Structure formats: structure tokens, C-alpha cells
Amino acid sequence: MSTIKGILGAASSVNIDAEYDRIAHLLLEGEGIHSIFKTVRDLIVFTDFRLLFIDVTGITGKRVETLSVPYKSVTGHRYISAGPLDINSEIVLFLKGRPEVTLKLSNATAISIHTLISHFEKFA
């Protein structure tokens, strides 16, 4: 799924209960959620086993693309902080056998996601 090249906007952490109904059908039996970050319409979900990138497209928002990335597929990541004139920071995920995924996020959210990815990488 190379079309998820970047999730744009100032994502922020949201309450898991607030978004659970929206993503429950994507979860495996026994899979728990650690964190959810939300932009205006898109979600980045950290579960027990994987990252879910939920990209809502189109005017009506009925078209949804979901990319599931097991933690063991993340071979590394890069954090690029915002410069003095930049609004967003970036996280680039390097994946086994797939194109890299670039996330454009607010600096605070990028730091939070960088920390979570670093935590899960050590267990992959």
C-alpha cells in the first residue's frame, strides 16, 4: 500500500474509548490497544502486535485505506524535527519488503510516536 505516503496534520493523542467502535472490527481476538493518535480524519493506532494507519479519503470520508504493519516488519525509523519555519515534524518508518511510510505530525506528537516506536522496536 504505497498510497499511504503521509498522514498530514497535527495529530494528537485521543482516548481509546472514543475511537474504539471505529476500529474494533480491525482488531484480532485478544489484541489490545496501547495508544491512538488522531488527525482531523485519520488515525494511527498502536496495538499489542502492530501499527494501524487508517487513512480516510474523499469528500464524504467513506473511502478508508488501512495499512497494518506488524512491529517485526519495522526495520528502523527516522525522526526529523521541525525547523524554525516548519509546522510539522516527520517520522519515517522503514519496513521489510514495503515502501517507507512518512508521517507528518506536530513536533510534540512526533516525539510521542518516536518514543512508542522505539519501545516496540526493542521487542520486535
Side-chain angles (χ1 to χ4, degrees), residues 21-82:
D21 290 342
R22 185 173 164 190
I23 61 171
H25 68 284
L26 299 172
L27 299 175
L28 302 171
E29 185 176 328
E31 184 174 23
I33 300 171
H34 288 277
S35 300
I36 299 176
F37 294 88
K38 182 178 183 178
T39 63
V40 175
R41 301 190 322 176
D42 302 333
L43 295 176
I44 303 166
V45 182
F46 286 79
T47 75
D48 293 335
F49 312 123
R50 59 198 169 135
L51 279 165
L52 293 171
F53 299 98
I54 301 167
D55 184 18
V56 179
T57 60
I59 295 171
T60 63
K62 291 187 179 185
R63 182 179 170 127
V64 178
E65 180 179 2
T66 302
L67 174 64
S68 173
V69 178
Y71 294 121
K72 66 182 180 179
S73 294
V74 178
T75 60
H77 74 282
R78 176 174 51 219
Y79 163 68
I80 304 164
S81 64

Side-chain angles (χ1 to χ4, degrees), residues 57-121:
T57 60
I59 295 171
T60 63
K62 291 187 179 185
R63 182 179 170 127
V64 178
E65 180 179 2
T66 302
L67 174 64
S68 173
V69 178
Y71 294 121
K72 66 182 180 179
S73 294
V74 178
T75 60
H77 74 282
R78 176 174 51 219
Y79 163 68
I80 304 164
S81 64
L85 300 176
D86 294 331
I87 297 172
N88 294 322
S89 295
E90 291 183 10
I91 298 277
V92 181
L93 298 175
F94 301 101
L95 309 174
K96 289 181 194 170
R98 293 182 176 221
E100 62 189 35
V101 175
T102 300
L103 308 171
K104 296 183 182 201
L105 307 159
S106 71
N107 199 47
T109 301
I111 291 169
S112 296
I113 289 177
H114 163 69
T115 302
L116 279 168
I117 292 169
S118 297
H119 174 75
F120 285 108
E121 278 181 339

